[in-house]
């Protein structure tokens, strides 16, 4: 294993200038062996993880779930505590065949009509938020636009009453905050207690909506999901709760980050902004892909090695943990020409912003 110059577990590393962080990832990609980072206590079985930083290795591990499993968790270095494991377990931390089953059922709900309605809702919500910011004359873009926009869109799609929006935002922010290694609750409660409370609220809200929509279907995603049927297989109430939690936590955080980065990038690169505005309809799709590559809203995900397997120049043992650093793979100089350049006309752009 290689020696790491900077500890990727240290929050100070992530607060360093972006150029410094990407220089470290470039060094890790060039190393002969993957870097290993001690984590947790040996007595608990958490002895560390290997960092996968090269594009080809991230792709290969992503496409080999038999050896690199998403279970029991792909989104946390810790295994979920027993009290929250039954509330979590969304498709993002499942392997086939359970993952494929949930995807088949959920995809049945996303009909062309539902997608068109969602597009219309996005336009209405975006216009309302931007108009309010413009009329105020100033504000915090993240707080006023980037944070509420994805949550309002998700809640609108799902048919969540506006009276619940504030509570959903609070639950989402609390769940994300608990995942911060530096988290300290103001009232002394531990992480597990807060997670159970906030995730329990989201599940309870979904249970209530599901019961209502089974009795009286509406033109929203919850109605489509509770009635989605694939060869007699339907989502359970727990499946619905997990899916909703995944949407409002993961879907919100990643979109919030991408929108925020977009504003910063077009401010820092006025030439790219002018290029986009010259042909907004034609260049917007490429701009979105480049923002996702350059910003990498999903920085990493974890995989758990189920059997001895060779990847790159290293043999991983059953029981090892690896972290797939998409933020590094998206700057791999063997795949992307001038990877540190923000270029909305980049083509091809085979980024792994949505995984490998």
């Amino acid at each position: 294993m290689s020696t790491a110059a900077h500890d990727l577990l240290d929050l100070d590393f992530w607060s360093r200038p972006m150029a410094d962080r990407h220089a470290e990832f470039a060094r890790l990609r060039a190393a002969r062996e993957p870097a290993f980072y001690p984590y947790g206590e040996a007595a608990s079985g958490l002895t560390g993880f290997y960092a996968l930083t090269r594009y080809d290795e991230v792709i290969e591990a992503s496409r080999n779930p038999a050896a690199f499993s998403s279970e029991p968790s792909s989104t946390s270095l810790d295994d979920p505590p027993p009290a929250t494991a039954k509330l979590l377990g969304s498709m993002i931390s499942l392997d086939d065949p359970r993952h494929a089953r949930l995807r088949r059922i959920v995809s049945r709900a996303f009909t062309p009509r539902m997608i068109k309605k969602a597009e219309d809702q996005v336009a209405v919500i975006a216009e309302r938020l931007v108009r309010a910011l413009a009329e105020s004359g100033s504000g915090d873009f993240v707080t006023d636009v980037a944070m509420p926009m994805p949550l309002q869109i998700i809640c609108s799609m799902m048919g969540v009453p506006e009276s619940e929006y504030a509570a959903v935002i609070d639950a989402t922010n609390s769940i994300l905050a608990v995942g911060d290694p530096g988290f300290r609750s103001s009232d002394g409660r531990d992480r597990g207690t807060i997670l159970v409370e906030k995730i329990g609220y989201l599940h309870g809200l979904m249970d209530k909506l599901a019961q209502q929509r089974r009795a009286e279907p509406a033109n929203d995603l919850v109605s489509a999901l509770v009635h989605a049927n694939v060869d007699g297989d339907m989502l359970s109430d727990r499946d619905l709760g997990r899916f909703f939690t995944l949407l409002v936590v993961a879907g919100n955080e990643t979109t919030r980050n991408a929108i925020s980065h977009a504003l910063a990038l077009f401010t820092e690169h006025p030439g790219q902004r002018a290029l986009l505005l010259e042909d907004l309809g034609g260049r917007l799709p490429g701009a979105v892909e480049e923002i996702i590559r350059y910003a990498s809203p999903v920085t990493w995900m974890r995989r758990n090695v189920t059997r001895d397997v060779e990847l790159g120049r290293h043999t991983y043992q059953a029981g090892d943990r690896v972290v797939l650093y998409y933020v590094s793979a998206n700057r791999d100089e063997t795949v992307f020409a001038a990877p540190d350049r923000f270029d909305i006309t980049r083509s091809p752009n085979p980024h792994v912003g949505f995984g490998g």
Side-chain angles (χ1 to χ4, degrees), residues 318-330:
D320 284 347
R321 300 180 183 212
V322 299
V323 171
L324 284 58
Y325 280 98
Y326 306 120
V327 65
S328 175
N330 280 335

Side-chain angles (χ1 to χ4, degrees), residues 235-313:
L235 296 179
S236 67
D237 287 348
R238 181 164 293 173
D239 289 334
L240 286 166
R242 288 169 172 170
F243 178 71
F244 181 54
T245 301
L246 176 64
L247 271 183
V248 297
V249 177
N252 156 47
E253 174 73 356
T254 53
T255 309
R256 177 195 309 188
N257 289 343
I259 294 172
S260 301
H261 275 285
L263 179 69
L265 286 169
F266 285 119
T267 301
E268 295 164 0
H269 300 84
Q272 292 293 304
R273 179 174 180 269
L275 190 65
L276 174 64
L277 295 180
E278 284 177 6
D279 181 10
L280 186 62
R283 292 183 177 138
L284 189 57
V288 170
E289 298 300 326
E290 179 67 348
I291 290 165
I292 293 170
R293 181 197 74 86
Y294 196 91
S296 295
V298 179
T299 305
W300 60 267
M301 281 195 177
R302 164 187 154 192
R303 294 293 184 267
N304 308 288
V305 181
T306 61
R307 55 180 169 80
D308 294 358
V309 59
E310 185 175 345
L311 179 63
R313 301 185 182 96

Side-chain angles (χ1 to χ4, degrees), residues 185-248:
S185 67
S186 59
D187 55 8
R189 290 184 300 164
D190 61 75
R191 296 176 182 226
T193 299
I194 296 174
L195 273 176
V196 169
E197 175 188 319
K198 299 304 181 180
I199 297 174
Y201 160 74
L202 296 175
H203 276 247
L205 176 59
M206 182 51 51
D207 288 345
K208 180 180 178 180
L209 288 174
Q211 291 177 16
Q212 294 174 351
R213 298 303 189 268
R214 287 191 181 100
E216 299 181 16
N219 186 25
D220 57 36
L221 188 53
V222 170
S223 297
L225 287 169
V226 298
H227 292 97
N229 188 313
V230 178
D231 298 328
D233 195 10
M234 303 177 71
L235 296 179
S236 67
D237 287 348
R238 181 164 293 173
D239 289 334
L240 286 166
R242 288 169 172 170
F243 178 71
F244 181 54
T245 301
L246 176 64
L247 271 183
V248 297

Side-chain angles (χ1 to χ4, degrees), residues 9 129 180 200 237 239 315:
L9 285 167
L129 290 171
D180 188 327
D237 287 348
D239 289 334
T315 298

Side-chain angles (χ1 to χ4, degrees), residues 2 23 73 99 141 184 220 292 299 329:
S2 69
S73 174
H99 177 90
F141 182 78
R184 296 290 185 275
D220 57 36
I292 293 170
T299 305

